[in-house]
Amino acid sequence: MSLRQVLIALGDPLVEVQVAPRGLEGDVLDVVILDPDDTPDVRPGDLGLIVGARGRAASPLVRAAGAGGAVAVAVKVDTPSPVLRQAAADAGVALLAVRPEVRWEHLEALARGVVHNARVTADAGVGEVLGDLFGLAQTIASLTGGIVSIEDTASRVLAYSRSTDEVDELRRLSILGRQGPEPYLKMLREWGVYQRLRSGEEVVRIDERPELGIRRRIAVGIHAGTQPLGTIWVQEGGTPLTEQAERALLGAARVTALHLVQQREPAAAFRENLLASLLDGRMDAEAIAEQIGADPDKPAAVVVFALRGQEHADRTEHELRRAEMTSLISVHAASYRRSALVSQQSGRTYALLTDLPPKAPLLTLTKEIVAAARKHMGLRVQGAIGSTVPTVNEVMISRAEADRVLDAMSRDLDADVATLEDVRSRVLISETLALLAEHPRIRDPRLARLDGELARSLLAYLDEFGDVKSAAAKLHVHPNTLRYRVRRAAEVGGFDLDDPLLRLFAQLQLRLG
């Protein structure tokens, strides 16, 4: 993870960049504590937290960190220090100013969490890539319209969303690593809020307390089976929290549980690769069903998504967008089916949904995901739905069908969501055109002689079954103009349009252009 991405995750109110002589693109590999009383042990890629020295007094450690190859150092600064800034610039290391009220142990835990998530995701390679915990918090904020904090069972903040809305005192103190107002925390205990959050999957509503400066909230517990892992808190921002926000929060808790389990026990990361293993044929479908708690003898389906309109984005931005999209898909899929698996593969994101009821609303779910991606993230996403198969053993049939539909959508189908039944003819034509494109020897060279205008005119004429008036209207030209172009096309190509086989093949080949 680059220093820029770490800073985006942490953001205000914890750190602020003072100087970055080598930019912010260097990779952060580890987080280390630097103490003035110890010999600095710094390695390339380290983010050093200078504890025990403030302002210009930290200059020697800043220079030592730069000499050791550190990417950045964080120092508590009461007032701006030109001496400290110059020391960082001379050492070639980024200087991060830490607010005086921030607790070091809290900042260290957050920074390590960001870097650890990035490392685990990179080590996984393929699989259920959900992005880092901060990215997931931002996704939850987009879906709920609120301001999100993710905490562990000790009420320590693990990640939080960025926000332009006004945050209340509880949120501000929590991010700084300090406890909220004791009268408010006492009320939460008396109301049994913590008990409800620990005991099961229930979205808990907490009323605002204006006298304490506390806004309205909703919260949900994060669980692995019966074991509580933490809580997601959503503070109401500029818009009211709705029932839709509560549904999204339930799915978010299930996805967040995967992150927290993965952090607690790296061996549990294998679950991320379950769907990828199934799609690659590396693992038996029934074994995967057992791992995710699904009934292998019940219906299942695969839905595949692709991100569009990012062709000109640089690689980092594109991957960031794909991770955001996958987080969103994971939240929606988990809210619909607890056993849902999501995986990225070959530039696409696959969702496996099991234990499906008769007439499962997959079309509605897919449309919701696509609409949410557009509304909350400004992303153009296409989704293709494979048919529902009787058992998990047959999901490769559903996957293949979904891929066929998405292939057609990427080539010549301007639709956001589709099934094979919706677009079967378009899919078959699209696949036939793909074969023609791969085998130039089976094309008619006479049609290749036509320029763009003649080719478009002839195709419109054939598409309208020779109805000149309709074809001319489609091209916005006069019917006599179209008649001339059709005659001219036959002359240039040297073919007879009275031949039905010629017309059939011409209509197909001209679509390649």
Side-chain angles (χ1 to χ4, degrees):
M1 174 170 277
S2 71
L3 176 60
R4 182 185 303 278
Q5 291 172 306
V6 173
L7 292 172
I8 288 173
L10 295 175
D12 278 340
L14 295 178
V15 297
E16 180 181 305
V17 179
Q18 295 287 300
V19 62
R22 295 181 180 174
L24 302 175
E25 303 309 322
D27 288 336
V28 179
L29 304 179
D30 199 2
V31 180
V32 298
I33 298 294
L34 304 180
D35 192 302
D37 296 331
D38 298 328
T39 302
D41 181 14
V42 182
R43 301 177 184 180
D46 281 351
L47 165 58
L49 309 183
I50 298 180
V51 178
R54 293 196 178 199
R56 62 186 299 170
S59 297
L61 280 175
V62 170
R63 286 190 286 268
V71 175
V73 289
V75 182
K76 283 197 175 183
V77 178
D78 296 307
T79 58
S81 173
V83 173
L84 188 61
R85 289 169 60 94
Q86 189 60 52
D90 293 342
V93 62
L95 175 64
L96 311 180
V98 180
R99 297 176 184 271
E101 63 267 33
V102 174
R103 293 171 59 182
W104 277 119
E105 65 268 26
H106 186 64
L107 177 58
E108 180 193 10
L110 288 172
R112 286 190 185 280
V114 172
V115 175
H116 172 76
N117 270 286
R119 185 184 299 120
V120 170
T121 299
D123 291 344
V126 295
E128 194 171 357
V129 183
L130 302 176
D132 64 273
L133 206 56
F134 281 84
L136 182 57
Q138 198 64 37
T139 298
I140 300 168
S142 297
L143 293 174
T144 60
I147 305 169
V148 173
S149 296
I150 301 174
E151 298 182 358
D152 64 11
T153 52
S155 298
R156 293 172 298 202
V157 174
L158 302 176
Y160 49 86
S161 64
R162 303 180 300 278
S163 175
T164 56
D165 289 331
E166 182 178 348
V167 299
D168 63 16
E169 184 69 1
L170 179 60
R171 156 88 174 187
R172 189 185 72 82
L173 291 174
S174 297
I175 291 177
L176 294 176
R178 301 183 182 277
Q179 285 191 327
E182 179 53 34
Y184 181 73
L185 300 180
K186 182 181 178 182
M187 280 192 293
L188 294 184
R189 289 191 291 268
E190 290 175 348
W191 294 339
V193 169
Y194 293 122
Q195 179 61 36
R196 290 165 66 189
L197 292 172
R198 285 193 298 268
S199 62
E201 283 190 330
E202 174 191 3
V203 175
V204 180
R205 305 177 186 88
I206 303 102
D207 293 334
E208 66 177 335
R209 282 293 181 269
E211 71 277 10
L212 298 174
I214 307 298
R215 302 287 299 273
R216 178 178 175 242
R217 276 171 169 70
I218 57 175
V220 68
I222 308 166
H223 298 83
T226 59
Q227 181 180 2
L229 301 178
T231 308
I232 304 176
W233 296 88
V234 183
Q235 178 207 307
E236 191 170 72
T239 57
L241 296 170
T242 64
E243 289 185 10
Q244 184 177 356
E246 295 183 11
R247 289 195 300 271
L249 188 56
L250 182 61
R254 296 170 181 174
V255 173
T256 306
L258 299 179
H259 282 270
L260 300 186
V261 169
Q262 182 172 288
Q263 286 184 351
R264 287 185 168 200
E265 185 181 353
F270 81 94
R271 189 184 189 283
E272 293 188 349
N273 288 318
L274 287 178
L275 181 52
S277 299
L278 175 61
L279 298 180
D280 288 341
R282 291 183 282 120
M283 194 168 179
D284 179 74
E286 290 192 4
I288 288 178
E290 181 181 351
Q291 292 286 353
I292 63 177
D295 187 337
D297 296 322
K298 286 189 176 180
V302 173
V303 183
V304 60
F305 298 88
L307 184 61
R308 306 299 186 201
Q310 295 291 308
E311 294 81 4
H312 303 297
D314 62 42
R315 182 177 178 182
T316 300
E317 181 182 358
H318 182 70
E319 290 303 316
L320 208 57
R321 289 294 199 176
R322 280 213 308 163
E324 290 176 352
M325 178 187 74
T326 304
S327 290
L328 183 145
I329 294 167
S330 299
V331 168
H332 277 271
S335 67
Y336 179 65
R337 278 291 175 272
R338 175 187 291 277
S339 58
L341 285 178
V342 177
S343 173
Q344 281 190 16
Q345 192 176 65
S346 303
R348 295 179 171 183
T349 302
Y350 293 87
L352 171 64
L353 301 166
T354 60
D355 297 336
L356 294 177
K359 298 183 179 179
L362 298 183
L363 184 62
T364 300
L365 174 66
T366 308
K367 286 182 176 179
E368 285 179 356
I369 291 172
V370 169
R374 186 186 298 273
K375 178 180 178 181
H376 299 299
M377 298 177 179
L379 301 178
R380 167 80 195 284
V381 175
Q382 287 185 316
I385 306 167
S387 60
T388 299
V389 291
T391 67
V392 175
N393 272 323
E394 299 169 84
V395 294
M396 292 304 293
I397 298 173
S398 181
R399 181 263 175 101
E401 188 174 293
D403 274 334
R404 290 175 65 197
V405 175
L406 193 61
D407 287 340
M409 295 170 76
S410 67
R411 283 193 287 263
D412 63 354
L413 186 58
D414 186 22
D416 289 335
V417 177
T419 68
L420 185 58
E421 287 303 314
D422 295 332
V423 293
R424 188 180 297 275
S425 297
R426 297 294 295 270
V427 169
L428 294 173
I429 289 294
S430 181
E431 292 174 345
T432 304
L433 292 177
L435 291 173
L436 271 180
E438 293 173 8
H439 300 87
R441 65 180 184 80
I442 60 174
R443 299 183 209 164
D444 189 333
R446 296 174 297 175
L447 295 167
R449 300 172 191 167
L450 307 183
D451 62 23
E453 185 178 83
L454 292 181
R456 283 191 296 274
S457 298
L458 180 56
L459 180 58
Y461 173 78
L462 294 172
D463 281 348
E464 297 299 322
F465 301 99
D467 186 333
V468 173
K469 186 176 181 180
S470 297
K474 182 179 178 181
L475 294 171
H476 306 291
V477 299
H478 193 278
N480 287 339
T481 301
L482 181 62
R483 289 188 181 94
Y484 167 77
R485 290 179 183 176
V486 171
R487 286 196 303 270
R488 181 63 182 157
E491 292 171 0
V492 170
F495 47 71
D496 182 4
L497 286 174
D498 289 334
D499 181 351
L501 296 180
L502 182 281
R503 292 198 304 271
L504 174 64
F505 195 80
Q507 191 174 8
L508 191 63
Q509 183 174 321
L510 288 172
R511 291 187 183 281
L512 282 175

